[in-house]
Amino acid sequence: MVSELVLTCVATGSNPEVTLLTRGLGKLFPRPSSGSLVNFPAGERDGNLAAAYNRLIESPDPAVRERAARAWTDWETAIIPPRRAPKSGTRIRCSACAFARTVTHYFGNDHFLDEGGEGGEGNDEGVVLRDAPLLKDIPGTLVQGSLDLGNLIGAVWRLHHAWPGSELVVVDEAGHDTSTPGVVEALVAATDRYARR
């Protein structure tokens, strides 16, 4: 049984969110975006980018896997300031490969929420927002950085309003990084408050 939830860096897995992250932010960050696409065969650039990355990350060729994982993590770190991608000469860490493999697996398979594929019709809200009212008896705190570019379409705000009784804590000057000052304190305060219940 779940008694409380504390969530941060919130995403709901809806198609508009994935499209924003895999395509829309390329307009704000054209250099890392175009650099990431260099590894793709031409026929894979217009489809489901996360699924295409995942196919490369699952390649039996270690060099292909590493290039794809580096491209994905370079893209992710470019849109999550102030962190920076590792220098191109350094070997990508296993944790970065695992991260890229996990994210592209879920993004490329519609988060296993059966919502019709990247950019699918009728998935403007997604199953998480649709079913959020079912959480009405579970208290929850959503901690979100005001500069989290993954939230440009307001996913956390919409989740907060769809989830009766939830609390939204927005941390100014914080992005999509749980180690940012203010985010850690908000998470600890929420978990301490629930521990005292």
Side-chain angles (χ1 to χ4, degrees):
M1 178 177 161
V2 175
S3 58
E4 303 90 11
L5 286 169
V6 177
L7 306 173
T8 190
C9 304
V10 174
T12 66
S14 70
N15 285 320
E17 286 176 80
V18 173
T19 300
L20 170 70
L21 291 170
T22 58
R23 297 204 179 274
L25 288 178
K27 294 174 185 166
L28 297 175
F29 299 95
R31 178 186 238 167
S33 176
S34 61
S36 296
L37 294 175
V38 168
N39 294 322
F40 278 117
E44 300 231 29
R45 294 181 186 202
D46 295 327
N48 184 326
L49 287 178
Y53 268 110
N54 191 255
R55 282 191 290 277
L56 293 174
I57 291 169
E58 296 291 340
S59 168
D61 182 339
V64 171
R65 284 196 309 266
E66 186 170 327
R67 278 194 308 273
R70 175 172 295 286
W72 184 271
T73 54
D74 283 355
W75 164 243
E76 290 250 358
T77 54
I79 65 172
I80 304 175
R83 295 187 306 182
R84 296 288 178 257
K87 292 186 173 137
S88 59
T90 60
R91 186 167 176 79
I92 191 163
R93 296 182 329 262
C94 289
S95 62
C97 287
F99 168 78
R101 184 179 188 194
T102 301
V103 172
T104 58
H105 180 64
Y106 277 88
F107 276 28
N109 287 288
D110 227 3
H111 297 87
F112 298 95
L113 296 174
D114 192 29
E115 298 187 308
E118 184 181 27
E121 294 297 318
N123 186 28
D124 288 341
E125 293 300 315
V127 68
V128 173
L129 291 175
R130 182 195 71 207
D131 291 348
L134 299 174
L135 297 172
K136 67 182 180 346
D137 296 324
I138 300 174
T141 301
L142 307 164
V143 178
Q144 192 78 11
S146 65
L147 302 177
D148 188 341
L149 295 175
N151 191 40
L152 289 176
I153 61 171
V156 71
W157 182 86
R158 289 173 21 218
L159 178 58
H160 167 59
H161 286 283
W163 178 359
S166 66
E167 170 194 29
L168 174 59
V169 177
V170 177
V171 180
D172 288 332
E173 304 299 318
H176 191 79
D177 186 347
T178 56
S179 65
T180 305
V183 173
V184 174
E185 290 81 359
L187 291 170
V188 169
T191 54
D192 284 351
R193 189 172 64 251
Y194 289 134
R196 290 191 294 269
R197 287 169 45 106

